[in-house]
Amino acid sequence: MKRILFVCLAALMVMNCVFASAETADWAKPYDEPVDIHIVSGAGNQIIFAEGEDWYDNLWWRYFREHYNVNVIVDWVSNEAGTKLNLAIASGDLPDAMSIG
């Protein structure tokens, strides 16, 4: 019985530490200065956006800008992503993130 009580108390202590640190975590706070992140995509015209939105201006990019002070800059979108990515590697002009699908 003591062993079960000890395990339960230990689990409660660990959970308390996890939830207490989550409340003060910095990961959800916006950056003080704007941060630019460059992305590319191989999805081409496979994505359907809401009317008036596109790869360069959409709900998600505005959300990141408003809530996290992060500007998502789309360098290119292409159905020929393999070729474009090879050229980017060769020129040393790689994006911060890519979606190739």
Side-chain angles (χ1 to χ4, degrees):
M1 185 68 172
K2 287 183 182 181
R3 180 179 254 176
I4 293 173
L5 181 60
F6 176 76
V7 170
C8 288
L9 287 174
L12 284 172
M13 288 174 55
V14 168
M15 288 174 53
N16 185 40
C17 290
V18 168
F19 290 121
S21 64
E23 291 174 11
T24 60
D26 288 339
W27 66 267
K29 295 180 183 175
Y31 289 99
D32 294 330
E33 298 292 322
V35 173
D36 292 342
I37 181 170
H38 291 263
I39 69 165
V40 299
S41 179
N45 57 8
Q46 299 169 359
I47 305 296
I48 299 172
F49 291 97
E51 188 174 331
E53 295 186 346
D54 58 17
W55 273 102
Y56 304 94
D57 181 29
N58 60 63
L59 171 81
W60 294 106
W61 301 168
R62 288 190 301 272
Y63 182 87
F64 292 138
R65 187 172 39 253
E66 293 167 9
H67 289 83
Y68 299 108
N69 207 12
V70 172
N71 300 311
V72 178
I73 301 166
V74 180
D75 291 336
W76 52 261
V77 177
S78 175
N79 289 326
E80 300 294 326
T83 302
K84 298 234 357 147
L85 189 56
N86 284 335
L87 290 170
I89 292 169
S91 68
D93 188 25
L94 289 173
D96 298 312
M98 62 189 82
S99 169
I100 306 297

